[in-house]
Amino acid sequence: MKAQVDPNTCIGCTQCAGICPEVFSMDGNLAQAIPGEIPAENAAKAAEAEQSCPVNAISLS
Ligand code: SF4
């Protein structure tokens, strides 16, 4: 599973980085996701972060 943040949708609320800092971090005012596969041990928290994004800017695939 990989995570992507849509930079045109993200409002920089920092919630995803707070929930799952292993996958999401802030790059200025926007969140970014680690490139490549999410480590299995972080998948549940990444999904929680995706669900918590107030503007649905995160996609997991
Ligand atoms: S939770 Fe959503 S809006 Fe907030 S920083 Fe993360 S991607 Fe951006």
Side-chain angles (χ1 to χ4, degrees), residues 5 10-16 31 53-55 57-58:
V5 175
C10 175
I11 58 171
C13 74
T14 76
Q15 190 148 285
C16 55
C53 177
V55 292
I58 299 171

Side-chain angles (χ1 to χ4, degrees), residues 6-55:
D6 181 350
N8 296 315
T9 306
C10 175
I11 58 171
C13 74
T14 76
Q15 190 148 285
C16 55
I19 292 172
C20 187
E22 297 86 355
V23 174
F24 300 99
S25 60
M26 301 308 295
D27 179 21
N29 289 329
L30 297 176
Q32 61 184 4
I34 58 168
E37 287 292 318
I38 296 170
E41 64 268 28
N42 297 328
K45 277 208 295 184
E48 185 182 337
E50 186 260 342
Q51 294 285 317
S52 300
C53 177
V55 292

